[in-house]
Amino acid sequence: QVQLVESGGGLVQAGGSLRLSCAASGRTFSSYAMGWFRQAPGKEREFVATIGWSGGSTYYADSVKGRFTISRDDAKNTAYLQMNSLKPEDTAVYYCAADRRAGGSWEGDYDYWGQGTQVTVSS
């Protein structure tokens, strides 16, 4: 079992930055691929970014490519999402998730989820 807790959300003006953290406890963190997803009001949850085991390959949604960076620190059992040049359309609840396999962009691949953290970008 893996428990995930997100933090770092908040209110920021357009063009600003935030860094989200996802602290994991339980099983060996380094053996999980990690992903970030988001859900805006009235919309379905969507993929944002994923990172493989031990900082392996990364993959991003086109909407965030070049602005967001996913990373992980296995010594701290934590994954991060650095978000720069934020836009109002980035407003959503952001969730981190852990996958015992290779990760990916489909939320069905992920085994464990955090409770989410709200990010609001004002124009």
mmCIF file of all heavy atoms in Angstrom, residues 1 3 16 23 39-40 47 51 65 84 88-89 91 101 115 119 121:
data_model
loop_
_atom_site.group_PDB
_atom_site.id
_atom_site.type_symbol
_atom_site.label_atom_id
_atom_site.label_comp_id
_atom_site.label_asym_id
_atom_site.label_seq_id
_atom_site.Cartn_x
_atom_site.Cartn_y
_atom_site.Cartn_z
ATOM 1 N N GLN A 1 0.841 -1.204 0.000
ATOM 2 C CA GLN A 1 0.000 0.000 0.000
ATOM 3 C C GLN A 1 0.872 1.249 0.000
ATOM 4 O O GLN A 1 1.897 1.282 0.685
ATOM 5 C CB GLN A 1 -0.908 0.004 1.239
ATOM 6 C CG GLN A 1 -1.995 1.059 1.219
ATOM 7 C CD GLN A 1 -3.147 0.678 0.333
ATOM 8 O OE1 GLN A 1 -3.178 -0.420 -0.233
ATOM 9 N NE2 GLN A 1 -4.100 1.581 0.182
ATOM 10 N N GLN A 3 0.604 5.514 0.374
ATOM 11 C CA GLN A 3 -0.196 6.702 0.683
ATOM 12 C C GLN A 3 0.482 7.918 0.047
ATOM 13 O O GLN A 3 1.694 8.093 0.184
ATOM 14 C CB GLN A 3 -0.319 6.902 2.190
ATOM 15 C CG GLN A 3 -1.127 5.839 2.913
ATOM 16 C CD GLN A 3 -0.315 4.577 3.174
ATOM 17 O OE1 GLN A 3 0.840 4.629 3.563
ATOM 18 N NE2 GLN A 3 -0.932 3.431 2.955
ATOM 19 N N GLY A 16 2.679 33.348 -13.267
ATOM 20 C CA GLY A 16 3.419 32.967 -12.077
ATOM 21 C C GLY A 16 3.789 31.497 -12.058
ATOM 22 O O GLY A 16 3.560 30.767 -13.025
ATOM 23 N N ALA A 23 4.196 13.659 -1.411
ATOM 24 C CA ALA A 23 4.943 12.850 -0.462
ATOM 25 C C ALA A 23 4.328 11.462 -0.376
ATOM 26 O O ALA A 23 3.111 11.328 -0.197
ATOM 27 C CB ALA A 23 4.940 13.516 0.911
ATOM 28 N N GLN A 39 -8.036 17.992 -12.635
ATOM 29 C CA GLN A 39 -9.452 18.022 -12.963
ATOM 30 C C GLN A 39 -9.986 19.415 -12.723
ATOM 31 O O GLN A 39 -9.974 19.910 -11.589
ATOM 32 C CB GLN A 39 -10.234 17.012 -12.131
ATOM 33 C CG GLN A 39 -11.683 16.893 -12.551
ATOM 34 C CD GLN A 39 -12.359 15.682 -11.937
ATOM 35 O OE1 GLN A 39 -11.922 15.143 -10.927
ATOM 36 N NE2 GLN A 39 -13.444 15.240 -12.550
ATOM 37 N N ALA A 40 -10.421 20.044 -13.804
ATOM 38 C CA ALA A 40 -11.024 21.365 -13.717
ATOM 39 C C ALA A 40 -12.527 21.223 -13.465
ATOM 40 O O ALA A 40 -13.110 20.174 -13.769
ATOM 41 C CB ALA A 40 -10.785 22.136 -15.016
ATOM 42 N N PHE A 47 -4.611 13.876 -17.924
ATOM 43 C CA PHE A 47 -3.188 13.625 -17.703
ATOM 44 C C PHE A 47 -2.397 14.920 -17.824
ATOM 45 O O PHE A 47 -2.678 15.756 -18.696
ATOM 46 C CB PHE A 47 -2.696 12.616 -18.722
ATOM 47 C CG PHE A 47 -1.211 12.482 -18.821
ATOM 48 C CD1 PHE A 47 -0.498 11.800 -17.843
ATOM 49 C CD2 PHE A 47 -0.523 13.036 -19.885
ATOM 50 C CE1 PHE A 47 0.876 11.677 -17.934
ATOM 51 C CE2 PHE A 47 0.845 12.923 -19.987
ATOM 52 C CZ PHE A 47 1.546 12.237 -19.008
ATOM 53 N N ILE A 51 6.619 10.384 -14.763
ATOM 54 C CA ILE A 51 8.048 10.126 -14.680
ATOM 55 C C ILE A 51 8.248 8.676 -14.283
ATOM 56 O O ILE A 51 7.543 8.144 -13.424
ATOM 57 C CB ILE A 51 8.740 11.077 -13.686
ATOM 58 C CG1 ILE A 51 10.261 10.905 -13.716
ATOM 59 C CG2 ILE A 51 8.191 10.911 -12.266
ATOM 60 C CD1 ILE A 51 11.017 12.021 -12.977
ATOM 61 N N LYS A 65 3.590 21.111 -21.958
ATOM 62 C CA LYS A 65 4.962 20.894 -22.398
ATOM 63 C C LYS A 65 5.692 22.225 -22.528
ATOM 64 O O LYS A 65 5.173 23.181 -23.099
ATOM 65 C CB LYS A 65 4.944 20.154 -23.739
ATOM 66 C CG LYS A 65 6.222 19.435 -24.092
ATOM 67 C CD LYS A 65 6.012 18.587 -25.346
ATOM 68 C CE LYS A 65 5.008 17.482 -25.135
ATOM 69 N NZ LYS A 65 4.838 16.634 -26.338
ATOM 70 N N ASN A 84 5.459 26.580 -14.334
ATOM 71 C CA ASN A 84 5.835 27.948 -14.686
ATOM 72 C C ASN A 84 4.887 28.499 -15.745
ATOM 73 O O ASN A 84 4.173 27.755 -16.404
ATOM 74 C CB ASN A 84 7.268 27.969 -15.210
ATOM 75 C CG ASN A 84 8.280 27.503 -14.185
ATOM 76 O OD1 ASN A 84 8.107 27.677 -12.977
ATOM 77 N ND2 ASN A 84 9.355 26.892 -14.663
ATOM 78 N N PRO A 88 -4.724 30.842 -16.744
ATOM 79 C CA PRO A 88 -6.009 30.587 -16.079
ATOM 80 C C PRO A 88 -6.570 29.195 -16.381
ATOM 81 O O PRO A 88 -7.206 28.587 -15.519
ATOM 82 C CB PRO A 88 -6.912 31.691 -16.634
ATOM 83 C CG PRO A 88 -5.978 32.822 -16.917
ATOM 84 C CD PRO A 88 -4.714 32.153 -17.426
ATOM 85 N N GLU A 89 -6.308 28.692 -17.569
ATOM 86 C CA GLU A 89 -6.813 27.367 -17.928
ATOM 87 C C GLU A 89 -6.087 26.236 -17.203
ATOM 88 O O GLU A 89 -6.477 25.071 -17.319
ATOM 89 C CB GLU A 89 -6.749 27.140 -19.441
ATOM 90 C CG GLU A 89 -5.414 27.442 -20.072
ATOM 91 C CD GLU A 89 -5.356 28.837 -20.669
ATOM 92 O OE1 GLU A 89 -5.829 29.810 -20.020
ATOM 93 O OE2 GLU A 89 -4.829 28.965 -21.799
ATOM 94 N N THR A 91 -6.106 26.187 -14.023
ATOM 95 C CA THR A 91 -6.868 26.074 -12.783
ATOM 96 C C THR A 91 -7.551 24.715 -12.696
ATOM 97 O O THR A 91 -8.282 24.315 -13.607
ATOM 98 C CB THR A 91 -7.921 27.190 -12.698
ATOM 99 O OG1 THR A 91 -7.256 28.457 -12.620
ATOM 100 C CG2 THR A 91 -8.818 27.010 -11.486
ATOM 101 N N ARG A 101 3.788 -0.261 -12.391
ATOM 102 C CA ARG A 101 4.356 -0.684 -13.675
ATOM 103 C C ARG A 101 5.066 0.490 -14.315
ATOM 104 O O ARG A 101 5.940 1.099 -13.688
ATOM 105 C CB ARG A 101 3.250 -1.255 -14.560
ATOM 106 C CG ARG A 101 2.630 -2.535 -13.980
ATOM 107 C CD ARG A 101 1.341 -2.899 -14.652
ATOM 108 N NE ARG A 101 0.312 -1.916 -14.376
ATOM 109 C CZ ARG A 101 -0.458 -1.922 -13.287
ATOM 110 N NH1 ARG A 101 -0.316 -2.871 -12.391
ATOM 111 N NH2 ARG A 101 -1.386 -0.999 -13.112
ATOM 112 N N GLN A 115 -5.144 12.892 -2.491
ATOM 113 C CA GLN A 115 -6.446 13.518 -2.305
ATOM 114 C C GLN A 115 -6.615 14.779 -3.147
ATOM 115 O O GLN A 115 -7.723 15.301 -3.277
ATOM 116 C CB GLN A 115 -6.666 13.864 -0.824
ATOM 117 C CG GLN A 115 -6.035 15.172 -0.357
ATOM 118 C CD GLN A 115 -4.519 15.129 -0.305
ATOM 119 O OE1 GLN A 115 -3.892 14.080 -0.397
ATOM 120 N NE2 GLN A 115 -3.913 16.298 -0.139
ATOM 121 N N VAL A 119 -5.201 24.287 -7.402
ATOM 122 C CA VAL A 119 -4.404 25.340 -8.027
ATOM 123 C C VAL A 119 -5.370 26.281 -8.742
ATOM 124 O O VAL A 119 -6.174 25.851 -9.569
ATOM 125 C CB VAL A 119 -3.388 24.760 -9.029
ATOM 126 C CG1 VAL A 119 -2.724 25.873 -9.828
ATOM 127 C CG2 VAL A 119 -2.351 23.919 -8.297
ATOM 128 N N VAL A 121 -5.433 29.906 -10.895
ATOM 129 C CA VAL A 121 -4.650 30.907 -11.603
ATOM 130 C C VAL A 121 -5.585 32.038 -12.021
ATOM 131 O O VAL A 121 -6.528 31.827 -12.781
ATOM 132 C CB VAL A 121 -3.951 30.318 -12.838
ATOM 133 C CG1 VAL A 121 -3.062 31.367 -13.493
ATOM 134 C CG2 VAL A 121 -3.141 29.086 -12.456
#
